[in-house]
Amino acid sequence: MTISPELFKQGMRRLTASVCVITTKDKNGVRHGITATAVCSVTAEPPTLLCCMNRSNTSYEAFRDAGRFAVNVLGTDHKEIAGRFASKLDSEARFEGAEWIEAETGSPILVAAAVGFDCRTVQLVEAGSHTIFIGEIADI
C-alpha cells in the first residue's frame, strides 16, 4: 500500500508530543522562531537533541547559518505563543507579548517555558523536505 502525504499527515496529527518554539538569532541580531513538535533527545553523553525543520520555512537559512538554536518547551498555557510562532508574522513580532532572555549562545529563551535547551548546532542532516538539526546542549 502506498501512503499518501495527506494520510501520513492525518496520522501524525494524532501523535501526542510536546509543542516547542525553536529560536535563534542571526548574524544581524534578528531573532527567529518557529513552532515545532519534531524534537527529541539523541544522547546523554554528550547531552544532545534534535529538531526538524522544513527547508521551505522562511527562517530556515537563519537557523542553518546561525550555528545555534534554543528549544523552548511550552506549557499548556502557552497556546497563544505556539500560534504566534506558527503564523506568518514578522520574525521579531513573534517575540512580542512574552519575556525572553538571551542564552549562553545568544539564542532567545522564553522565561516562562517549561524548560529551555540552549544548543550549538553540531550536525545538519537532510531528509526529504526537511533538515534535522542536531544540537549539543550548552545550557539548560
Side-chain angles (χ1 to χ4, degrees):
M1 173 182 197
T2 301
I3 305 297
S4 71
E6 188 53 40
L7 180 60
F8 174 73
K9 290 176 188 177
Q10 287 175 10
M12 292 305 294
R13 287 183 189 116
R14 290 167 175 79
L15 177 64
T16 304
S18 294
V19 175
C20 301
V21 168
I22 313 300
T23 57
T24 196
K25 189 184 286 187
D26 69 22
K27 61 186 175 209
N28 298 318
V30 177
R31 297 178 296 179
H32 298 267
I34 64 164
T35 298
T37 56
V39 176
C40 70
S41 64
V42 176
T43 180
E45 294 182 30
T48 307
L49 57 73
L50 66 79
C51 62
C52 302
M53 184 182 302
N54 192 314
R55 286 190 296 281
S56 69
N57 187 292
T58 57
S59 293
Y60 172 76
E61 289 181 8
F63 278 90
R64 183 196 63 204
D65 297 344
R68 61 186 176 202
F69 63 91
V71 174
N72 298 275
V73 180
L74 302 183
T76 56
D77 56 336
H78 294 134
K79 184 177 180 178
E80 189 258 326
I81 292 173
R84 211 167 343 135
F85 279 86
S87 74
K88 301 284 186 195
L89 284 174
D90 172 78
S91 287
E92 278 293 329
R94 294 177 182 189
F95 290 86
E96 293 174 4
E99 186 178 354
W100 298 86
I101 59 172
E102 191 169 292
E104 179 182 315
T105 66
S107 294
I109 297 282
L110 177 64
V111 171
V115 64
F117 297 97
D118 183 27
C119 303
R120 288 186 181 85
T121 306
V122 293
Q123 188 175 359
L124 300 175
V125 178
E126 291 191 5
S129 60
H130 284 60
T131 294
I132 302 165
F133 286 76
I134 301 174
E136 191 170 308
I137 299 170
D139 198 11
I140 297 176

